[in-house]
Amino acid sequence: MAGDVLLDRGAGLIFPASYALIASAHMKRYGTTLDDLALVSLKNHQNANLNPLAHFYHKRATLDDIRNSPPICSPLRLFDCSPVSDGAAAAVVSAERRSHEDVEVVASGMATDTLALAERADFTYFTASRIAAAQAYEQAGMEPSDIDLAEVHDCFTIAELVALEDLGFCQPGDGKHLIREGCTARTGSIPTNVDGGLKADGHPIGASGLAQVFEVVTQLRGKAGERQLAKASTGLTHSVGGIGGTSVVHIFRKGD
Amino acid sequence: MVRSCSECNLTWHQPITICTRCQGPVATSSPGKLRVLHVTKVEMPSQEHQEVPYYCLLLEDEVGLHYVRKSRQEHRPGDVLAEGDEGRTETAVTLGVIGTGTMGTGIVCLAMEAGWQVIWKSRSSQSLSEGKARVRDRLLKAMEPGEADGVLQSLVLATDFEALAGAGLVVESVVEDLDVKRNVFRSLDEACSQEAILASNSSSLSIDAMAAVTSRPERIVGMHFFNPVSRMRLVEVVRGARTADATAASVSDLAKRLGKVPVVVRDAPGFIVNRVLMPYLNEAARIVQEGIASVDDVDTAVELGLGHPMGPLGLIDLIGVDVFVNIMDSLASRTGESRFGAAEVARRLVAEGRLGRKTGAGFHQ
């Protein structure tokens, strides 16, 4: 179930409307701006231009395109929303090590929350993501600073900032600094959504989570071609369902 | 009004009588003043919310509980909605539905999913309880059993017309027989409030002929849904000679709130869709009758040459050959035009009892 029928959907709370309310709450509390969201969109589109498998590989999006795109649910505009894409992804999982290219799954965290937005106390973070992240870091024996790249669930631009905060890459509300200062760019301290993310790699609903795993594995194997990161030994994926009703966090490590 | 579970504290704005989470007892209370925390202006239409823009308000009551509400009016964060300020959000609708056939059941499902109060009337209490079970099955495709049972709390079953006194709109979907429908309209006119709009889901009968037996012809209108109601997005809003502008406008608006697209048409035989469809089906039957092409080849030609999902003869079989002939006869007698005469081959099939899918054979075996 992607949304609460009685409490939310009946009140017209379609997906972008939910994230629009989250964006409003985040902007009001932390001073996040529309331009911060535009920068997230721009970065992910630029990343997709390096990824031949991305939905928007051939599309050049400028900051003006993003700022002037039509409103969907205020404050979110068209370019704050991920597209609905066609796509598929698969992973072979084994208990046995078969090759030097194998990537180790070192942690799997998962948590849930109420499906209805109205039943939550706070709208600026996802409790489920915070819990899933804590589980994953504990299992892996790692800290956020140990992660070389992150693939996060940016179904809307605001969701990327909220994810970075929930995953501990910065303090709550400081996601805006990460994007403004280029920390999440390919050359930054925590490259995020280097495949283009859901925003520009695409969002083939059921396959998006595994597409993130594909990107991390490809980067850890050093086979990402033009978009290969210089340092990629550990990677994290973060996938969300039902406006934070479910959140799953995985951590991967390069084979020795 | 707000309803909250006395045991787990889950809250609703919908008319719920048992908790959808824990089945606990539900108490009704006033939410007091509601403060607007955040607002989004939605400009993107969706299946269930076709009319944009609208506003989604995230509200907080005096004890810190949150609510999401839809509003047509713009609000700003910090606005306070006074107690009982329901007029600024969409008002609830109480819909009466007469008849437990395919269409009546489909309309009930649609209204339940939209969160409306529904009063469902039929002569037989058994067909009503069977109908309710079918509605529940439909709701279960979209929600958990507890939630579905909660939604079903706003469905009232009735075998007498008096139960419809509180309905704002009644849609009758009884058998396509003018005498039967006129009797229904007479009874509705007596039982329903003077403000209520009375609508017919008829696909072929005259709205004026039904309006004539009531004391409120200005509030009589056609509201023609299509089968299957859940998937077909069209509603033909049929204006009789005396139907008021406001009546047609209200019914169009209500159709939109049910996620449908209304078109307004004057009361004329076949309205739009059947006026276009029926002669086309009839022509396909004539091609077979004249030995020009086989049943399969006619259907194949239309499917591949016109891109229709189903050929005309397959469609007649689906509708029922007898129903098809009845509609053609009705078009012919109401217009007095021979071009609407049903193809003889269809009459022969009816005489042989080959009525289409429902009897296992029609044009196709």
Side-chain angles (χ1 to χ4, degrees), chain A residues 41-193:
Chain A
S41 184
L42 181 69
K43 166 184 73 73
N44 290 351
H45 270 283
Q46 287 172 343
N47 286 345
N49 293 148
L50 299 175
N51 178 4
L53 292 177
H55 189 149
F56 289 123
Y57 175 54
H58 295 286
K59 166 97 185 170
R60 304 279 155 182
T62 67
L63 208 46
D64 275 350
D65 292 336
I66 296 166
R67 286 173 176 149
N68 298 327
S69 62
I72 301 295
C73 293
S74 65
L76 301 181
R77 302 152 297 197
L78 181 64
F79 272 76
D80 290 303
C81 309
S82 59
V84 175
S85 314
D86 286 331
V92 178
V93 182
S94 169
E96 201 180 314
R97 192 176 178 91
R98 300 284 181 98
S99 109
H100 69 283
E101 286 199 331
D102 286 0
V103 163
E104 189 186 352
V105 184
V106 291
S108 290
M110 173 175 166
T112 61
D113 195 356
T114 67
L115 195 49
L117 202 61
E119 289 188 88
R120 303 200 193 142
D122 197 295
F123 310 100
T124 59
Y125 61 87
F126 289 153
T127 306
S129 289
R130 290 186 173 184
I131 297 171
Q135 289 170 358
Y137 289 130
E138 193 190 339
Q139 284 172 30
M142 292 183 188
E143 291 180 7
S145 58
D146 296 323
I147 305 295
D148 293 336
L149 76 144
E151 286 288 306
V152 307
H153 195 87
D154 59 325
C155 50
F156 298 91
T157 46
I158 183 63
E160 177 165 319
L161 298 185
V162 171
L164 291 165
E165 296 165 13
D166 288 340
L167 292 166
F169 294 120
C170 61
Q171 291 300 308
D174 285 349
K176 58 182 185 285
H177 296 306
L178 293 184
I179 186 69
R180 287 176 194 170
E181 290 155 24
C183 302
T184 51
R186 299 176 39 76
T187 49
S189 54
I190 178 64
T192 301
N193 290 335

Side-chain angles (χ1 to χ4, degrees), chain B residues 199-204 207 221-226 233-239 251-252 255 260-265 268 270-276:
Chain B
S200 172
N201 183 48
S202 176
S203 60
S204 60
I207 296 302
V221 65
M223 194 174 189
H224 183 208
F225 289 85
F226 289 77
R233 289 183 52 204
L234 182 67
V235 170
E236 285 178 327
V237 176
V238 185
R239 296 194 60 157
V251 167
S252 296
K260 301 301 180 196
V261 178
V263 294
V264 178
V265 53
F271 310 137
I272 298 172
V273 171
N274 280 340
R275 172 83 173 266
V276 172

Side-chain angles (χ1 to χ4, degrees), chain A residues 206-237:
Chain A
S208 300
L210 267 181
Q212 298 176 324
V213 174
F214 169 82
E215 180 62 17
V216 167
V217 168
T218 305
Q219 290 284 348
L220 298 194
R221 284 175 174 170
K223 292 194 162 177
E226 206 187 342
R227 68 182 190 283
Q228 180 64 48
L229 297 171
K231 183 172 186 300
S233 304
T234 56
L236 176 149
T237 63

Side-chain angles (χ1 to χ4, degrees), chain A residues 6 9 12 72 74 119-120, chain B residues 10 14 21 40 43 54 66:
Chain A
L6 263 185
R9 237 175 58 190
I72 301 295
S74 65
E119 289 188 88
R120 303 200 193 142
Chain B
L10 189 59
Q14 289 83 357
R21 182 195 279 158
T40 178
E43 308 206 29
Y54 63 87
H66 295 125

Side-chain angles (χ1 to χ4, degrees), chain B residues 201-235:
Chain B
N201 183 48
S202 176
S203 60
S204 60
L205 301 174
S206 163
I207 296 302
D208 290 333
M210 294 178 233
V213 301
T214 70
S215 63
R216 61 178 99 190
E218 74 289 351
R219 303 184 78 77
I220 307 296
V221 65
M223 194 174 189
H224 183 208
F225 289 85
F226 289 77
N227 189 18
V229 177
S230 59
R231 291 224 308 274
M232 302 299 277
R233 289 183 52 204
L234 182 67
V235 170

